[in-house]
Amino acid sequence: MTLLGGVEAGGTKFVCAVGRGPDDVRAEARFATTTPAETLARVVAFFREHAPLAALGVASFGPVDLHPRSPAFGSITTTPKPGWQHVDLVGPLRRALGVPVRVDTDVSAAALAEHRWGAARDVTTLVYVTIGTGIGGGILVNGRPVHGLLHPELGHVRVPHDRAADPFPGACPHHGDCWEGLASGPALAVRWRQTPERLPDTHPAWELEARYLALGLVNVLLTVSPERIVLGGGVMTRTQLFPLIRAEIVRLLGGYLQSPALKEGIDDYLVPPALGDRAGVLGALALADGA
Amino acid sequence: MTLLGGVEAGGTKFVCAVGRGPDDVRAEARFATTTPAETLARVVAFFREHAPLAALGVASFGPVDLHPRSPAFGSITTTPKPGWQHVDLVGPLRRALGVPVRVDTDVSAAALAEHRWGAARDVTTLVYVTIGTGIGGGILVNGRPVHGLLHPELGHVRVPHDRAADPFPGACPHHGDCWEGLASGPALAVRWRQTPERLPDTHPAWELEARYLALGLVNVLLTVSPERIVLGGGVMTRTQLFPLIRAEIVRLLGGYLQSPALKEGIDDYLVPPALGDRAGVLGALALADGA
């Protein structure tokens, strides 16, 4: 059986894997994201070692152009990352490796991986949200990623911000106090003037963080009506957040939505990723497989 | 060619139609929503006059149970409307008329109608939002309504509310100052102590209204990434709101999303319904046709 290749193209590192799924990874490599030319050359060299591949999946940081008819299809568009604006990921890899290349956002890929092998196998409409250096989300409806005009940009939704209780103006360079501006890892670091890893579990930062995360998640929930929310990323390794967020979601909904999943079943509704930080590269394998 | 039946089941009136689309409506009836038994009897009597039908579509006010495997499939669930809680719409109509009955929310049906015959024919991922006695939304992804756990309940998302600038506490009995609580027709009436129809075009109510509507729409836009937003309902008959909302959406996005549709193309991105207040009953015909 021919193998598949998957690349998680991140802003700080690239992860490459050859295999067919979480229990069948034949080779893996990770390296820092440097210039596009150097980084893509490393990707090509890794996969050439493991040829032939049936297809390659690319799970990319964004924004990325996913419109099949766009001249910039498969390119990163307006990232703040120096040197990576308007970089074509798909074309060079397809030409160098001679295989079909399928691309989506890193978060859509993670959603696909969790749906196929992880915490959302039994549902078809789901949201994967990552809370880390930014906030991002991938949405599957009937098992397929939602793209639309561009692709979801969950991090930049606006949520209520009580400036009397929390005078922090927000850390988003585009929008100030959008969701990401209030609740990403860097927002925590700037608001509390220390790295989030060093904030003790008892610090009031976490209650406030849970409140903002719940506000954004309730909005996603009322919009897409997912059957499950998978919540990952560096900030969520602070697992004490899960019960705080769940309780706040139930409180914010105020009993309006009639579903056991949003009451006694909330522990199974809002869950951590089963694949941890491997969801991205495994999602790239799922993309390669035509998921 | 056998005809289709469509019912728009609203909280204040029911509209029934027989035909195949906007240019082919053979008969139509509308009557006040009274008790479930009396109202459904009128629906049955109307469609019996026009038998045989190939199928019936029901576009219902909500919340409505749309889970095919649920014992309450096709029932209205927790409406505040007296007498209508847990009323089965689908079963009685199917038994009385002996035809397949297909059901969705009124707003999903309106989205289907606008997609098939109206303002969103050239796209497949779109949102229909109505601003009236409440705020509701239907979402199509790849041309199909999104359901998920329940169905979208857009009206109850939380948006920023600056209580210094707008001390109105909100009119939603469940959530106070959720989107609907701040920006529905009744919210306008309570905040300004007069019926919205009587507020002059120059009243500051409309600038504030446009700001709240833009805040909610930007969140939908960043979540679902629709290719078009169709914005209808009683409040939106005040057409001066459209340019105000469009300008505020562009401002709130802050240039973050790179698409002509969200800049110079915004007039064609956020549009009124082409089918006006007939979108619901026409959407019911589209449902009957298996849309």
Side-chain angles (χ1 to χ4, degrees):
Chain A
M1 189 157 67
T2 321
L3 293 173
L4 303 166
V7 188
E8 181 185 3
T12 53
K13 68 174 190 303
F14 270 52
V15 184
C16 300
V18 170
R20 301 200 66 88
D23 301 324
D24 183 10
V25 172
R26 312 288 176 91
E28 202 160 342
R30 54 186 63 210
F31 33 84
T33 308
T34 59
T35 65
E38 184 179 56
T39 312
L40 292 177
R42 283 187 183 177
V43 172
V44 168
F46 172 79
F47 287 113
R48 278 193 176 145
E49 274 177 50
H50 299 280
L53 299 174
L56 182 70
V58 178
S60 179
F61 68 110
V64 54
D65 189 328
L66 300 176
H67 253 283
R69 283 164 302 172
S70 163
F73 173 74
S75 294
I76 289 172
T77 58
T78 56
T79 176
K81 191 168 174 64
W84 284 84
Q85 293 90 353
H86 309 292
V87 166
D88 182 7
L89 294 177
V90 166
L93 292 174
R94 185 171 43 212
R95 286 190 292 274
L97 296 168
V99 295
V101 178
R102 304 192 182 100
V103 63
D104 212 314
T105 61
D106 45 7
V107 280
S108 282
L112 281 170
E114 290 291 336
H115 176 47
R116 186 147 177 182
W117 298 299
R121 274 176 289 184
D122 52 329
V123 299
T124 60
T125 297
L126 62 116
V127 179
Y128 175 96
V129 181
T130 177
I131 316 293
T133 52
I135 295 182
I139 300 173
L140 304 193
V141 169
N142 298 325
R144 313 283 314 163
V146 172
H147 295 154
L149 183 69
L150 301 161
H151 53 68
E153 285 281 359
L154 282 189
H156 300 279
V157 299
R158 295 315 205 281
V159 294
H161 175 201
D162 179 350
R163 284 175 187 261
D166 172 31
F168 177 61
C172 173
H174 301 282
H175 314 111
D177 64 349
C178 65
W179 194 24
E180 175 172 308
L182 290 170
S184 66
L188 278 168
V190 177
R191 182 192 281 109
W192 301 106
R193 297 199 183 84
Q194 50 189 311
T195 57
E197 292 78 8
R198 299 190 57 188
L199 291 167
D201 281 357
T202 52
H203 195 283
W206 301 115
E207 286 231 19
L208 186 67
E209 178 71 5
R211 212 174 311 148
Y212 284 128
L213 293 181
L215 279 164
L217 292 170
V218 157
N219 283 3
V220 177
L221 197 167
L222 289 160
T223 305
V224 180
S225 194
E227 295 167 283
R228 187 156 301 139
I229 298 176
V230 181
L231 189 55
V235 171
M236 294 310 303
T237 57
R238 192 66 70 123
T239 54
Q240 74 188 96
L241 284 169
F242 279 92
L244 295 174
I245 296 168
R246 290 180 186 124
E248 184 69 3
I249 286 175
V250 172
R251 195 188 71 76
L252 285 166
L253 291 175
Y256 181 73
L257 297 181
Q258 295 292 313
S259 171
L262 303 174
K263 290 167 187 168
E264 65 272 19
I266 191 78
D267 290 358
D268 300 318
Y269 182 77
L270 181 81
V271 298
L275 305 170
D277 61 4
R278 301 184 71 213
V281 70
L282 292 170
L285 289 179
L287 283 171
D289 202 21
Chain B
M1 189 157 67
T2 323
L3 292 173
L4 302 165
V7 188
E8 182 185 4
T12 54
K13 68 173 191 303
F14 271 52
V15 184
C16 300
V18 170
R20 301 201 66 88
D23 301 323
D24 183 10
V25 171
R26 311 289 175 91
E28 202 161 342
R30 52 185 66 210
F31 33 83
T33 308
T34 58
T35 64
E38 185 179 56
T39 311
L40 291 177
R42 283 189 183 173
V43 172
V44 168
F46 172 78
F47 286 114
R48 277 193 177 142
E49 274 177 51
H50 299 280
L53 299 174
L56 182 70
V58 178
S60 178
F61 69 108
V64 56
D65 188 327
L66 300 175
H67 253 283
R69 284 163 303 172
S70 163
F73 173 74
S75 294
I76 289 171
T77 58
T78 56
T79 176
K81 189 165 176 64
W84 284 85
Q85 292 91 355
H86 308 293
V87 166
D88 182 8
L89 294 176
V90 166
L93 292 173
R94 186 169 43 210
R95 285 189 293 275
L97 296 167
V99 295
V101 178
R102 303 191 184 102
V103 63
D104 212 313
T105 61
D106 45 7
V107 279
S108 283
L112 281 170
E114 290 291 338
H115 176 46
R116 187 147 175 180
W117 298 299
R121 273 176 288 183
D122 52 329
V123 299
T124 60
T125 297
L126 62 116
V127 178
Y128 175 96
V129 181
T130 176
I131 317 290
T133 54
I135 294 182
I139 300 172
L140 304 194
V141 168
N142 298 324
R144 313 283 314 161
V146 172
H147 296 151
L149 182 69
L150 302 160
H151 53 67
E153 285 282 0
L154 281 190
H156 300 278
V157 298
R158 297 310 206 286
V159 294
H161 174 201
D162 180 350
R163 283 174 188 263
D166 172 30
F168 178 59
C172 174
H174 301 281
H175 312 113
D177 63 348
C178 65
W179 194 25
E180 174 172 309
L182 290 170
S184 66
L188 278 168
V190 178
R191 181 191 283 111
W192 302 106
R193 298 199 182 85
Q194 52 189 310
T195 58
E197 293 78 8
R198 300 190 56 187
L199 290 167
D201 281 355
T202 53
H203 195 285
W206 301 116
E207 286 231 15
L208 186 66
E209 179 71 5
R211 213 173 312 149
Y212 284 128
L213 293 180
L215 279 165
L217 291 170
V218 157
N219 282 4
V220 176
L221 198 165
L222 289 161
T223 305
V224 180
S225 195
E227 295 167 284
R228 188 156 301 140
I229 298 175
V230 182
L231 190 54
V235 170
M236 293 310 303
T237 57
R238 192 66 71 119
T239 54
Q240 73 186 97
L241 284 169
F242 279 93
L244 295 174
I245 296 168
R246 291 180 186 124
E248 184 68 4
I249 286 176
V250 172
R251 196 189 69 76
L252 285 167
L253 290 175
Y256 181 72
L257 297 181
Q258 295 293 314
S259 171
L262 303 174
K263 291 168 186 164
E264 65 272 19
I266 190 79
D267 290 358
D268 300 318
Y269 182 76
L270 181 80
V271 298
L275 304 170
D277 61 4
R278 301 185 71 214
V281 69
L282 292 170
L285 288 179
L287 283 171
D289 202 20

